[in-house]
């Protein structure tokens, strides 16, 4: 391929004891694109993202901008520009919005303070609701606000590839649309995206490319528009959406 993908994963394997949850997955995230991974419950989607972040041991290769990150621990992968917003969102519920955002920049603690402060201001501009609520504890935010905070916190690490695990989980349809619109806008502002969703139709509308994961393997892949047009695929693999 002429232009090298920003993130290139090849032949990734992840096992839980005897169970192989990810069984030889290869995928690419080109610069400036939104790539989605869809598929039924238990297909291995979360396992895939956790392994890419270094949270689970895996075999295969994960190359970010030409650098193999496979041997790196989580914090080094963060510094290289990989960041995951997990399904659980994992905010510090007792801490304020502002402190949660500050912790998002932990991997940048050796950088000059001004750079991080400028990014905090940028986060508040992008998410005015978080600015209004900056002194409120994260646990008292609405579901949609918590998801926005989780995304804003991830951005504080200055990711080049932002990985999102089911950002629509548990949110009302209107809020889901808002979160996905934010993801689109992040991509336009230069962050490449790898997004896992069960809500296939909604995510394919904002994605450039999609992979269908089934039982730990890529069962199908293609341009988001062509996957979206394949009603049989949407119904067979995903039932609804
Ligand atoms: P969902 O959308 O339901 O979260 P998923 O596609 O993200 O599904 P995974 O959560 O990655 O799927 O799970 C893939 C497989 O690995 C499933 O069969 C699951 O039961 C198994 N699995 C996940 N986590 C563990 C674990 N900690 N220990 C053992 N098996 C696990």
């Amino acid at each position: 391929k002429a232009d090298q993908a920003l993130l290139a994963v090849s032949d990734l394997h992840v096992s839980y004891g005897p169970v192989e949850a990810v069984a030889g997955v290869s995928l690419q995230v080109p610069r400036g694109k939104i790539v989605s991974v869809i598929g039924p419950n238990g297909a291995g989607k979360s396992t895939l993202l956790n392994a890419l972040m270094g949270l689970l041991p895996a075999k295969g290769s994960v190359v970010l901008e030409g650098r193999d990150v496979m041997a790196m621990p989580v914090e080094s992968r963060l510094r290289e520009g990989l960041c995951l917003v997990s399904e659980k969102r994992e905010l510090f519920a007792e801490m304020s919005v502002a402190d949660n955002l500050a912790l998002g920049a932990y991997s940048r603690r050796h950088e000059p303070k001004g750079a991080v402060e400028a990014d905090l201001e940028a986060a508040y501009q992008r998410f005015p609701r978080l600015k209004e609520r900056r002194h409120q504890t994260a646990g008292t935010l609405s579901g949609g606000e918590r998801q926005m905070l989780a995304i804003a916190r991830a951005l504080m690490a200055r990711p080049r590839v932002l990985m999102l695990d089911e950002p629509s989980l548990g949110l009302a349809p209107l809020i889901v649309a808002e979160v996905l619109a934010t993801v689109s806008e992040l991509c336009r502002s230069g962050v490449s995206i790898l997004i896992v969703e069960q809500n296939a139709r909604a995510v394919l509308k904002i994605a450039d490319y999609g992979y269908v994961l089934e039982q730990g393997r890529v069962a199908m892949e293609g341009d988001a528009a062509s996957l979206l047009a394949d009603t049989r695929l949407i119904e067979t693999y995903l039932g609804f959406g």
Side-chain angles (χ1 to χ4, degrees), residues 95-101 124 127-146 148-149:
M95 289 172 56
S96 69
V97 166
D99 287 344
N100 270 279
L101 288 174
Y124 283 144
F127 302 101
R129 219 145 69 219
L130 295 181
K131 183 170 191 177
E132 279 165 32
R133 289 158 201 272
R134 64 191 180 279
H135 301 305
Q136 196 171 319
T137 57
T140 62
L141 297 175
S142 73
E145 289 163 353
R146 282 205 297 278
M148 294 300 192
L149 177 55

Side-chain angles (χ1 to χ4, degrees), residues 15 36 41 62 90 112 114 120 137 162 196:
S15 298
S36 73
N41 270 316
V62 179
E90 289 165 342
L120 183 62
T137 57
L162 180 63
V196 157

Side-chain angles (χ1 to χ4, degrees), residues 76-90:
S76 311
R77 293 189 202 201
L78 253 177
R79 276 197 303 264
E80 289 293 320
L82 266 182
C83 191
L84 170 64
V85 177
S86 89
E87 201 170 24
K88 289 165 279 185
R89 293 159 207 175
E90 289 165 342

Side-chain angles (χ1 to χ4, degrees), residues 16 19 21 39-48 87 165-166 196 198:
Y16 299 106
V19 180
N41 270 316
K45 305 182 298 296
S46 299
T47 301
L48 170 68
E87 201 170 24
D165 194 357
E166 301 247 9
V196 157
Q198 285 218 42

Side-chain angles (χ1 to χ4, degrees), residues 63-78:
V63 176
L64 180 64
E65 209 157 36
R67 275 169 64 101
D68 193 336
V69 303
M70 215 35 180
M72 296 182 188
V74 179
E75 201 187 328
S76 311
R77 293 189 202 201
L78 253 177

